[in-house]
Amino acid sequence: MNIKTKEIYSEVYQVLSLLGNEYIDKLPNSLFNMLKEKKNISYTPQYIEDIPLNKQNIKKETLAIIALLHLNYWCDNEKEKLELKQILKNNEDRYQQELRNKYNPEDIFKKHKQESIVENQLSMIEYKEPLFKRFISKIKSIFHMN
């Protein structure tokens, strides 16, 4: 298991510790024990309870796991689950829209087309020798030195 995964487990374990037994008791013992065993023992994140987690130094993967735990174990009724699912769906839709805007194939081809037009224009510029070189060439041609 890589270090990042162990750090994520450490962060989830620390958040669960802050939440307390009310939330830990709703989790399967095997899941909580796995987090406890596989966490990075040399990495102990510190969180301030008054500041939202997304404003603190926490990995996105950790937030995703906590959201999944909330959905699967901490939602008290079906209505709460549906609301959380809707929030997660809206977040995913927003993320996909950002990706489409950033990597839109039509825009990529437009940019490529503009670059090739500029490249073609550069190749059609006529090359002229500098004035001094033209003057020397004229003198050489008069004296047949070429």
Side-chain angles (χ1 to χ4, degrees), residues 35-80:
L35 290 170
K36 191 174 184 179
E37 291 171 10
K38 298 201 177 197
K39 70 179 184 154
N40 184 346
I41 57 173
S42 63
Y43 176 67
T44 307
Q46 299 297 318
Y47 301 115
I48 301 169
E49 292 182 38
D50 299 337
I51 301 173
L53 281 177
N54 61 352
K55 303 283 187 200
Q56 299 188 46
N57 188 19
I58 190 166
K59 293 175 179 46
K60 290 180 183 179
E61 294 89 347
T62 303
L63 291 173
I65 290 173
I66 292 169
L68 189 63
L69 293 175
H70 187 144
L71 179 66
N72 291 328
Y73 302 108
W74 300 330
C75 286
D76 292 329
N77 55 45
E78 198 60 35
K79 181 182 177 191
E80 189 177 347

Side-chain angles (χ1 to χ4, degrees), residues 107-122:
D107 290 343
I108 291 173
F109 291 126
K110 286 179 184 177
K111 289 177 185 176
H112 179 67
K113 194 173 184 180
Q114 289 173 348
E115 288 173 3
S116 65
I117 290 171
V118 169
E119 199 173 285
N120 289 339
Q121 289 174 348
L122 289 176

Side-chain angles (χ1 to χ4, degrees), residues 80-138:
E80 189 177 347
K81 276 187 177 185
L82 289 174
E83 288 174 358
L84 182 57
K85 284 180 182 180
Q86 186 61 42
I87 291 170
L88 294 173
K89 182 185 178 308
N90 291 343
N91 288 344
E92 180 63 22
D93 291 345
R94 192 174 328 120
Y95 175 72
Q96 291 299 326
Q97 183 61 39
E98 287 174 11
L99 286 178
R100 274 192 297 279
N101 292 340
K102 189 173 182 180
Y103 300 110
N104 187 347
E106 293 175 10
D107 290 343
I108 291 173
F109 291 126
K110 286 179 184 177
K111 289 177 185 176
H112 179 67
K113 194 173 184 180
Q114 289 173 348
E115 288 173 3
S116 65
I117 290 171
V118 169
E119 199 173 285
N120 289 339
Q121 289 174 348
L122 289 176
S123 64
M124 295 184 335
I125 296 174
E126 182 181 334
Y127 173 74
K128 290 187 177 182
E129 283 185 320
L131 183 62
F132 182 73
K133 281 191 175 183
R134 286 188 296 183
F135 179 72
I136 296 294
S137 296
K138 229 10 164 181

